[in-house]
């Protein structure tokens, strides 16, 4: 099975392109996290606190030359420009992975006249070539285009799985590419956004805005989602952005960060013991539950509003 090394573009203070309320650096880190969650041991994600272009990271990278490098980006142009494509070094012909990746990304994010582009003016393709590493840069649509951003956000999981499939990496628990038996997220009732002028409404409901604010405070990927949560732990007070699965293949970095803060076991799942530890830390009744309108969530929202992020 192929192993991929994923580089999330920009970072370390460089947000990359921005548009439609998002930055490129944050969005591609969210995608990299999904690729890792679904790909497991077949995926290595390069240090996301770095800017691999600015610090010349590929030139000092030491990995097997059988590993495939994929660098994630989003493009920016006029609001009408659309589509994803693959960039390779001008000195090479596209290999089977480049061809399959270009076909996949242009299918899910259409609009480019050329789906594979050769470039001789980009540093990282040159650096990878000099080291003998197989490399391609994936532009995941235009962050400046409303429709591309909508597709990217709604289909992040599908994009992650499609990328893995291109490299022959399965996403099921057995490691095969057959995902027919894969558990699906349990849907939650949509709730209105609560983040106003940078502050959370203290309404006791944990949705995307509360998650996004906490992710910013704790320094984890800022996508408004709490991924890979056990369906058996589902709580009435957890609304939009929570992904409940019967057999999750990963965990949430945000929940791990919270668990470290409150002193509970660090497994990345919000079970009853974690909730009780949170309730103890934030001074509410310790019943191990997050009710539909939760005193614990209110306390967390008040605390979040008092934090710099």
């Amino acid at each position: 099975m192929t192993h991929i090394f994923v580089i999330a573009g920009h970072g370390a203070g460089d947000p990359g392109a921005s548009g439609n309320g998002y930055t490129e650096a944050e969005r591609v880190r969210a995608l990299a996290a999904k690729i890792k969650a679904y790909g497991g041991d077949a995926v290595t994600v390069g240090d996301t606190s770095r800017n691999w272009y600015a610090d010349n990271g590929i030139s000092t990278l030491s990995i097997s030359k059988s590993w495939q490098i994929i660098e994630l980006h989003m493009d920016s142009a006029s609001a009408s420009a659309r589509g994803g494509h693959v960039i390779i070094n001008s000195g090479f012909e596209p290999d089977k992975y480049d061809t399959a990746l270009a076909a996949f990304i242009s299918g899910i994010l259409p609009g480019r006249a050329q789906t594979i582009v050769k470039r001789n003016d980009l540093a990282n393709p040159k650096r990878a070539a000099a080291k003998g590493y197989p490399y391609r840069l994936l532009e995941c649509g235009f962050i400046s285009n409303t429709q591309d951003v909508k597709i990217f956000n709604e289909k992040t999981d599908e994009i992650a799985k499609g990328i893995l499939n291109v490299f022959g990496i399965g996403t099921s628990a057995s490691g095969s590419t057959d995902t027919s038996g894969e558990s699906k997220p349990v849907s939650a009732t949509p709730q209105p956004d609560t983040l106003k002028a940078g502050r959370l409404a203290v309404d006791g409901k944990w949705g995307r805005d509360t998650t996004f604010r906490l992710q910013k405070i704790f320094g984890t990927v800022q996508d408004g989602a709490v991924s890979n949560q056990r369906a058996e732990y589902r709580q009435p007070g957890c609304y939009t952005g929570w992904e409940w699965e019967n057999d999750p293949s990963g965990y949430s970095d945000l929940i791990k960060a919270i668990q470290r803060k409150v002193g509970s076991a660090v497994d990345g799942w919000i079970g009853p013991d974690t909730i009780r530890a949170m309730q103890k830390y934030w001074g509410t009744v310790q019943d191990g539950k997050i009710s539909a309108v939760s005193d614990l969530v209110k306390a967390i929202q008040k605390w979040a509003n008092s934090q710099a992020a």
Side-chain angles (χ1 to χ4, degrees), residues 245-272:
E245 303 184 19
N246 294 323
D247 186 18
S249 59
Y251 52 82
S252 166
D253 286 332
L254 172 62
I255 298 302
K256 280 191 170 185
I258 292 172
Q259 288 169 329
R260 293 186 188 101
K261 184 172 187 64
V262 302
S264 66
V266 180
D267 59 13
W269 296 320
I270 193 157

Side-chain angles (χ1 to χ4, degrees), residues 158-263:
E158 185 177 339
I159 293 169
K161 292 177 183 180
I163 290 169
L164 291 167
N165 186 59
V166 162
F167 292 97
I169 299 170
T171 57
S172 69
S174 65
S176 72
T177 55
D178 177 8
T179 59
S180 58
E182 186 180 343
S183 59
K184 304 297 183 183
V186 180
S187 61
T189 304
Q191 295 292 319
D193 288 341
T194 59
L195 191 63
K196 305 297 181 186
R199 293 180 63 82
L200 292 165
V202 181
D203 60 5
K205 299 178 181 181
W206 191 332
R208 283 189 180 277
D209 284 332
T210 296
T211 296
F212 188 88
R213 176 67 172 158
L214 292 173
Q215 288 171 329
K216 191 173 183 182
I217 291 168
F218 284 102
T220 62
V221 171
Q222 296 169 40
D223 60 0
V226 184
S227 305
N228 299 303
Q229 296 300 294
R230 292 188 177 279
E232 64 196 271
Y233 293 158
R234 187 177 182 181
Q235 300 293 319
C238 297
Y239 294 89
T240 55
W242 286 81
E243 298 176 3
W244 305 101
E245 303 184 19
N246 294 323
D247 186 18
S249 59
Y251 52 82
S252 166
D253 286 332
L254 172 62
I255 298 302
K256 280 191 170 185
I258 292 172
Q259 288 169 329
R260 293 186 188 101
K261 184 172 187 64
V262 302

